[in-house]
Amino acid sequence: MKVLLQSMKPVLGITVFVLIAAGFVLRDHWLPLLEQNQADQSKNGAASSKKADGKKNADQQKIILSDQAIANLGLKVKSELPETYWKTFQVPGMIVDLPGRSDQGVISPVDGVVEKMNYYPGDTVRPGDVLYTIRILSETLQQTQTNLFKDTQNIALAETKKKRLETTRGAIPEARIIEVANEIKRLHVAIKGYQHELLSRGFSEQQLQKISAGDFVRDLDILVPDRMDRVGSTRTPVSLKASGTKVKQEPPLTFEVQESKLDLGQQVKTGEMLCLLANHRLLAIEGRAFRDETQLLERSVREGWPVEVDFQERESTHWPAIKQSFLIEYLSNVIDPVNRTFAFRMPLENQSRVVQQGDQTQVLWRFRPGQKVRLMIRVEKLDNVFVLPADAVAREGAEAFIFTQNVNTFYRKPMRVLERDRRHTVIANDGSLTPGSFVVQGAAEQLNRMLKSSSDNDLPEGYHIHADGSLHKNEDEGK
């Protein structure tokens, strides 16, 4: 056997050499078949891997939440439809008093001393209420009262004398009767002048009658003025561009003592300011813009575009909805040399509430002078777009996502953002979102983080998901 193996070694060596040589010569025939087989195996492996990755990515585009989790996140959905959105630029603004209509000063009509103060800063007053009582120190007014009383008595004496002379007509010259009649006319003119002076100083008709009877006035009551009687312009219709109609301005029901200029026992002069009364029913919104924004504002005025005002209020406010349209009523032609801005104004109709605290009544205004606001001036119109709240869109690098709800299942959808501001995000209507879809209106960033950290089948323990996306508790749970 050993001899046989030794005799076959040369034959085996020759055979191996022949096979290697034949394989090398015929390599063009068998090498392509080997490469094709390897390619098919690689293709099948890639397809399987791609299918698995696609299933994994599809699973990662949705998240399932329980009813408790939805309530804890405070998720709200809304059916979204395409609408029109205006691109705007933002300028700062402030609520200010409307000159001549919001504040009114009360001055002292006489020289005197403050004897009594009935109201203080913060109190609410109505037309006709007595603000102060002033002891009159003016010698001129004292003399005017004396002259009014004397001339009133002189008229009575002159009329008596005239009647006596008329009974003796013919026995005396007619010139004496005419002289008495002229004296009566002169006294009437003087009395009318005295009455006019006293009325202009704040005296009433009843006080004039007392003075004529000899009851002189020593203390003068300072009343809350009634602008309906004092200023005739308030009776005329006032054109409000905010609503586009002419409305009749009603008399203010209440004033607030905004500031008091004096103390009890203080001496005052004629024309000196006593206090400042405020009624904030008619205010104005003043914005400040730079010189390069002039053309945009002029276009807004020319086209009649309303300005959107952000009053920076909480959504939970219990005030009624603002139904006013804000149109620019005044555009300043002067630039402030300090801050290099110019002003523009819009009228604002304020809202109020009356609060009763015991015997005191207080008026609470919704908007107050000095309150900061944001003004959005329209620039460009975008039609057929989806307008969502700012926190309804999650950003991840260059990608933007929204979430749609199907009962307990939330799907993430990539979107194209056209515009974004502090309150809104504008989404293109390019087919990525079907009109009428229920879109989550907030907490998009939190949902996106939860989705990225969730597993492929991250269901709450003891629950199962139905085909319609609803989450249900297992029937055998708890048994």
Side-chain angles (χ1 to χ4, degrees), residues 8 77 80 97 107 115 124 136 166 178 276 281 322 325 392 402 419 425:
M8 291 181 64
V77 296
E80 293 293 341
D97 288 318
I107 63 173
E115 273 198 342
T124 300
I136 299 175
E166 287 178 347
I178 295 175
L276 184 65
R281 190 175 69 85
I322 302 174
S325 180
I402 66 169
E419 187 71 17
T425 300

Side-chain angles (χ1 to χ4, degrees), residues 180-353:
V180 174
N182 291 335
E183 179 67 14
I184 292 175
K185 291 181 180 179
R186 184 187 64 80
L187 291 173
H188 276 296
V189 172
I191 289 175
K192 188 174 182 180
Y194 298 145
Q195 291 177 341
H196 176 73
E197 180 180 356
L198 294 176
L199 287 173
S200 65
R201 295 299 187 96
F203 288 72
S204 63
E205 293 287 350
Q206 292 80 6
Q207 289 175 326
L208 295 184
Q209 294 177 5
K210 291 182 179 180
I211 294 172
S212 300
D215 186 7
F216 293 170
V217 175
R218 295 177 176 84
D219 297 328
L220 184 63
D221 292 334
I222 308 300
L223 308 180
V224 177
D226 188 350
R227 288 189 289 185
M228 289 295 294
D229 295 334
R230 300 296 180 88
V231 184
S233 61
T234 56
R235 294 183 180 272
T236 60
V238 178
S239 177
L240 295 177
K241 293 185 179 180
S243 57
T245 59
K246 287 188 176 182
V247 297
K248 186 176 180 180
Q249 181 181 343
E250 298 295 334
L253 297 178
T254 57
F255 287 99
E256 178 186 352
V257 181
Q258 183 168 313
E259 185 179 356
S260 180
K261 301 290 186 178
L262 48 82
D263 296 322
L264 190 64
Q266 181 177 339
Q267 183 175 355
V268 294
K269 299 292 184 181
T270 301
E272 185 176 349
M273 180 75 71
L274 300 178
C275 66
L276 184 65
L277 303 179
N279 181 279
H280 300 307
R281 190 175 69 85
L282 295 178
L283 298 174
I285 301 175
E286 182 177 276
R288 309 292 303 188
F290 289 101
R291 176 66 182 86
D292 55 357
E293 298 167 342
T294 305
Q295 295 182 355
L296 299 176
L297 287 170
E298 290 178 350
R299 182 185 178 187
S300 182
V301 174
R302 185 172 60 253
E303 299 291 341
W305 290 343
V307 177
E308 184 179 356
V309 181
D310 180 11
F311 292 98
Q312 305 182 48
E313 294 179 321
R314 294 187 177 182
E315 297 181 358
S316 59
T317 178
H318 300 292
W319 290 98
I322 302 174
K323 300 181 180 180
Q324 180 179 353
S325 180
F326 299 99
L327 298 176
I328 298 177
E329 186 182 58
Y330 166 76
L331 195 63
S332 177
N333 293 316
V334 178
I335 295 179
D336 191 324
V338 177
N339 52 33
R340 308 305 300 168
T341 61
F342 65 94
F344 60 95
R345 285 200 302 267
M346 299 160 289
L348 172 63
E349 301 175 29
N350 207 348
Q351 300 175 2
S352 63
R353 287 176 180 164

